[in-house]
Amino acid sequence: MMRGPDAMQESLFTVAKLDDFVPSDHPLRAIRVLVNEALTAMNTRFNEIYADTGRDSIAPEKLIRALLLQVFYSIRSERQLCEQLRYNLLFRWFVGVALDDPIWDHSTFSKNRDRLLAHQVVERFFAEVLRLAESRGLLSKEHFSVDGTLIQAWASQKSFRPKDGSDHQRPGGGGRNAQADWKGQPRSNDTHASTTDPDARLYRKSHNTASILCYQGHALMENRNGLVVGAVVSHADGFGERRAALAMLDAMPTTASRRSVGADKAYDAADFVAGCRQRKVTPHVAANDTRRGGSAIDGRTTRHPSYRISQIIRKRIEEPFGWGKTIGRIRQTVFRGLQRVDQQFKLTMSASNLMRLARMPLAVPCGVAS
């Protein structure tokens, strides 16, 4: 066998489309079908945001697709995303950028992204993805599960300073980035706030864990296919999970049939159980018999087989949380401020729904081209 030459000679002309480089069975093909359908329904909203005259901006459809890629592939920054778009043909195809089209500067991308965030486009996109699922009969309107998770803020413990300006923080060592020493100094959200992200709150999940500056992300899942139908971020406190759960239930469309919501022991509180029953929602909450005063759930609820079924299915809500933290970068947010973190959380839950929908034959029929 003769040794082949180590040389590359490009053709003067190449007749190839971006679509030719993407395998026919690539997972992004089914996702792109769903994304394009949702974006088409948002065309009127985009027309309201942008003026008829002026300098051209990045198309909002391309921005949304690029932001989704950032979630799907755990891309940590807009700078890295724009770098990938320059040479990654799969990314160019998904976003809709031709081979010879220039790629935006990362600062231009960030400014255009902020425009979408200011006009709540992410919330609308989240709703449109759910509309696609509902139109295909993939959403349950009666049975739900709810849970919350901590999202670490983009702020350090050193930024948690007294609100009155009296700063007695003692350095714990030498160097420019010395550790702080708070021994013997009480610190709470009432007296302190982060100078980096004032919306973050000092909170710990249990008595055995350390306090961190964080937010609380809340999700409401329908039990038929495990799709997230409600997502919101709140300040981190001991009542945030139950308040957010009731608010998400209130946002659900009204129905004549009886509803149920499954939850873990953290929701076994008299105010939450009473709030569910006032809304004609059966609280399938895990009984916390060790709490003072006993469980707020009694035999009226636990005797039914549907209660045991809800307790089994409710654990599936950990799947979008786990995917969002390992892939979608919500373990620690890179945004500051409640509104921005909330929109990042909604976009991540939208991406999780798209991943799940893309695997359902009823959502994306076989043979549909993108």
Side-chain angles (χ1 to χ4, degrees):
M1 181 181 294
M2 186 177 69
R3 178 184 176 185
D6 181 22
M8 181 181 71
Q9 184 174 357
E10 295 185 282
S11 302
L12 183 61
F13 299 103
T14 301
V15 182
K17 299 180 296 182
L18 280 173
D19 189 77
D20 299 334
F21 296 97
V22 182
S24 59
D25 59 347
H26 197 282
L28 281 183
R29 283 193 175 273
I31 292 175
R32 196 173 192 271
V33 171
L34 296 168
V35 171
N36 288 346
E37 188 173 345
L39 292 175
T40 300
M42 297 173 62
N43 188 57
T44 303
R45 178 59 177 161
F46 292 145
N47 290 335
E48 294 172 354
I49 296 174
Y50 293 88
D52 295 332
T53 59
R55 187 175 58 182
D56 288 342
S57 65
I58 302 174
E61 295 87 349
K62 290 182 170 62
L63 277 173
I64 293 292
R65 295 192 200 100
L67 289 172
L68 287 171
L69 279 179
Q70 201 170 2
V71 177
F72 290 142
Y73 288 89
S74 308
I75 301 175
R76 64 179 182 268
S77 67
E78 283 79 13
R79 185 188 296 271
Q80 190 180 48
L81 175 64
C82 292
E83 177 187 346
Q84 286 273 349
L85 281 171
R86 287 190 177 90
Y87 54 75
N88 193 319
L89 298 182
L90 175 66
F91 283 15
R92 279 181 174 262
W93 167 83
F94 186 83
V95 174
V97 182
L99 274 170
D100 52 354
D101 285 347
I103 300 301
W104 328 290
D105 183 76
H106 66 90
S107 60
T108 303
F109 181 88
S110 298
K111 290 177 181 177
N112 280 266
R113 178 209 62 203
D114 291 343
R115 184 182 184 90
L116 293 186
L117 297 181
H119 289 84
Q120 299 182 330
V121 171
V122 173
E123 286 89 338
R124 179 65 181 274
F125 181 74
F126 179 80
E128 287 298 331
V129 173
L130 290 178
R131 185 191 60 81
L132 294 179
E134 185 177 10
S135 66
R136 290 155 170 80
L138 299 173
L139 292 185
S140 169
K141 298 181 180 179
E142 293 83 26
H143 305 294
F144 303 93
S145 298
V146 68
D147 203 358
T149 188
L150 293 185
I151 302 173
Q152 188 175 349
W154 194 251
S156 71
Q157 293 279 5
K158 295 179 185 178
S159 70
F160 199 60
R161 304 295 181 90
K163 295 179 181 179
D164 59 7
S166 60
D167 192 357
H168 304 296
Q169 182 170 295
R170 301 185 299 271
R176 184 176 62 181
N177 192 24
Q179 292 185 352
D181 180 12
W182 301 293
K183 188 175 182 180
Q185 299 181 24
R187 302 196 308 160
S188 71
N189 293 313
D190 295 332
T191 59
H192 290 61
S194 171
T195 56
T196 306
D197 185 358
D199 284 341
R201 297 290 183 268
L202 193 66
Y203 186 75
R204 61 179 179 178
K205 193 170 184 179
S206 67
H207 295 293
N208 299 323
T209 58
S211 298
I212 60 172
L213 287 169
C214 59
Y215 295 89
Q216 278 182 328
H218 315 275
L220 183 70
M221 179 192 75
E222 57 83 33
N223 287 355
R224 181 180 300 169
N225 289 300
L227 296 170
V228 177
V229 295
V232 67
V233 169
S234 70
H235 296 298
D237 61 53
F239 306 95
E241 286 187 324
R242 300 193 292 273
R243 283 198 304 262
L246 293 175
M248 288 187 290
L249 288 172
D250 288 337
M252 290 293 99
T254 57
T255 179
S257 57
R258 188 77 181 185
R259 290 175 169 173
S260 69
V261 58
D264 59 25
K265 292 182 179 181
Y267 295 83
D268 185 7
D271 58 344
F272 179 73
V273 171
C276 288
R277 287 174 175 159
Q278 289 173 3
R279 292 163 174 79
K280 296 183 179 180
V281 177
T282 304
H284 287 172
V285 178
N288 186 5
D289 298 323
T290 60
R291 66 187 295 271
R292 182 180 300 177
S295 173
I297 297 294
D298 52 33
R300 290 179 298 171
T301 302
T302 58
R303 66 182 179 180
H304 296 288
S306 58
Y307 174 80
R308 292 188 291 273
I309 295 173
S310 291
Q311 285 300 299
I312 294 172
I313 296 178
R314 72 168 176 82
K315 298 174 183 178
R316 293 180 62 189
I317 201 171
E318 298 295 342
E319 295 175 11
F321 284 159
W323 184 86
K325 288 194 172 185
T326 56
I327 304 297
R329 305 177 309 120
I330 62 168
R331 184 179 300 277
Q332 181 178 20
T333 180
V334 296
F335 294 97
R336 291 169 179 162
L338 184 64
Q339 183 183 12
R340 286 172 173 264
V341 178
D342 178 71
Q343 298 211 2
Q344 182 198 18
F345 184 70
K346 284 185 171 68
L347 183 69
T348 304
M349 293 300 103
S350 298
S352 175
N353 283 344
L354 287 167
M355 292 280 290
R356 190 174 292 273
L357 284 170
R359 295 194 293 266
M360 300 178 187
L362 290 177
V364 185
C366 297
V368 174
S370 56

